[in-house]
Amino acid sequence: MAHEHLDVFTIGRLAHRTGLPVRTLRFWSDHGAVPPVARSTGGYRLYDAGSVARVELVRTLRELGLGLDDVCRVLGGSTTVAEVADAHVAALDAQIRSLKVSRAVLSTVAKRGSTVEETTLMNRLARLSAAERKQIIDEFKEEVFGGLDDPHLRDRIRAYSIELPDDPTPEQVDAWIELAELLRDPGFRARLRTWMELNTPVPGQARPPGASIWWARQIVQTIAEARTDGVAPEGPAAAEVLSELFGDTDRAAVLHSLEAGIKAGAEHYRRLVACVRGQNSSPDATEELEWLARALRAADQT
């Protein structure tokens, strides 16, 4: 053997010393990641102690997810480990985000018992680009809020956005899927538009009765306390609650607005938006608002 005077050994011994299969070392060697230091007279690959250290480095980089091309670039000096690692961090972040979306979609499918068609739709909605999500929201804003002549409302709508973060939680993706389905539903848009028209003041006039119910948490809190005290919406004590809340306000108009909001699902919509945005939402007030509607109907019949 031409290299017997060197401290070299065959690929079989290299495999024994590193604990890796011969086929793996041969594959790495063929790609230039662990080249032989010499050849025997019979043409067999020979390696030395430096090869063992190189194998350990290649193994480490591979375990971190680097491809062999990147490994060879690092070992060849054309790039650094830090530069390649930075690129792989970005790639891993993207993969993690994608996996989170997949997990959220599958979780929603499992909870809903969705069909194949529904699953396909949910997956498409969850993976919409930021531009596609913005288009859905812009179309929704135009149909629901467009043309309402209220300067304060126009200012709010101009700044209105629903942004799904780059790194959403499964709960945010789940909420976005449900919200996107709502925003694209013509029936929901029509119901919400009706509710908004009832709550938008005519220029030069005061706000319609009941316009602030959905945003007045003190009203919800008062009703919650009444329910906790066992006050029935059809009972005499409920009439006292209504007097405290509305005084001599036109209660028929309040009820009309309230029923429109309940029919539109405004409270559920509000909570979905807050979840997608990652905001702390007020507790679900659906039961309180339904109690109020029952109390107003009962008062109207007395």
Side-chain angles (χ1 to χ4, degrees):
M1 185 177 292
H3 296 279
E4 288 180 347
H5 61 286
L6 299 176
D7 186 15
V8 294
F9 39 83
T10 63
I11 196 169
R13 287 190 58 194
L14 181 62
H16 179 73
R17 292 181 64 170
T18 60
L20 289 169
V22 169
R23 65 179 179 276
T24 299
L25 294 174
R26 186 176 291 114
F27 180 71
W28 290 357
S29 182
D30 289 342
H31 280 74
V34 187
V37 297
R39 291 273 181 173
S40 70
T41 53
Y44 293 102
R45 304 177 226 223
L46 298 174
Y47 302 89
D48 60 10
S51 301
V52 176
R54 192 174 178 99
V55 166
E56 292 302 325
L57 176 57
V58 173
R59 172 157 48 189
T60 297
L61 295 176
R62 293 288 288 148
E63 287 175 350
L64 289 172
L66 274 67
L68 269 183
D69 288 341
D70 283 330
V71 170
C72 291
R73 289 171 57 223
V74 170
L75 295 175
S78 60
T79 189
T80 66
V81 174
E83 290 169 341
V84 174
D86 186 57
H88 275 264
V89 166
L92 285 171
D93 285 343
Q95 186 178 8
I96 289 169
R97 287 194 294 270
S98 179
L99 287 172
K100 284 185 176 180
V101 170
S102 296
R103 183 190 183 282
V105 171
L106 290 172
S107 175
T108 302
V109 168
K111 285 188 293 185
R112 295 187 184 183
S114 302
T115 64
V116 173
E117 292 78 8
E118 291 169 337
T119 301
T120 301
L121 173 62
M122 284 189 290
N123 187 52
R124 189 177 67 81
L125 291 175
R127 297 183 187 280
L128 290 176
S129 68
E132 290 170 325
R133 292 197 299 269
K134 183 178 183 300
Q135 181 178 353
I136 288 176
I137 293 165
D138 286 346
E139 290 173 354
F140 165 77
K141 286 164 57 175
E142 177 59 31
E143 187 167 336
V144 174
F145 306 110
L148 295 177
D149 194 6
D150 179 1
H152 299 293
L153 178 63
R154 284 199 300 270
D155 290 341
R156 291 201 305 271
I157 297 309
R158 191 176 297 114
Y160 178 92
S161 65
I162 307 173
E163 296 293 340
L164 189 65
D166 290 336
D167 188 19
T169 65
E171 292 75 20
Q172 285 176 303
V173 175
D174 188 41
W176 163 253
I177 291 171
E178 188 171 354
L179 181 62
E181 289 176 311
L182 270 181
L183 299 185
R184 297 167 70 251
D185 179 4
F188 172 72
R189 293 184 181 188
R191 292 189 296 272
L192 206 61
R193 172 70 184 200
T194 297
W195 176 63
M196 287 303 304
E197 289 174 344
L198 288 172
N199 285 277
T200 302
V202 175
Q205 297 184 13
R207 290 181 64 79
S212 62
I213 285 178
W214 295 86
W215 320 116
R217 306 317 296 179
Q218 69 271 21
I219 292 179
V220 172
Q221 182 61 37
T222 299
I223 297 171
E225 292 172 358
R227 295 181 66 235
T228 300
D229 293 339
V231 176
E234 293 83 4
E240 297 180 10
V241 175
L242 294 181
S243 295
E244 176 186 347
L245 293 175
F246 304 114
D248 59 358
T249 299
D250 182 353
R251 296 183 187 177
V254 172
L255 177 60
H256 190 35
S257 171
L258 180 61
E259 289 178 327
I262 291 173
K263 184 177 180 181
E267 180 68 1
H268 184 54
Y269 162 74
R270 176 188 69 81
R271 289 175 57 78
L272 286 175
V273 170
C275 183
V276 172
R277 289 173 172 168
Q279 298 171 334
N280 291 325
S281 174
S282 304
D284 190 340
T286 299
E287 293 185 358
E288 283 73 23
L289 294 170
E290 289 178 345
W291 185 98
L292 177 58
R294 290 172 59 190
L296 288 167
R297 292 189 201 103
D300 186 52
Q301 295 170 2
T302 57

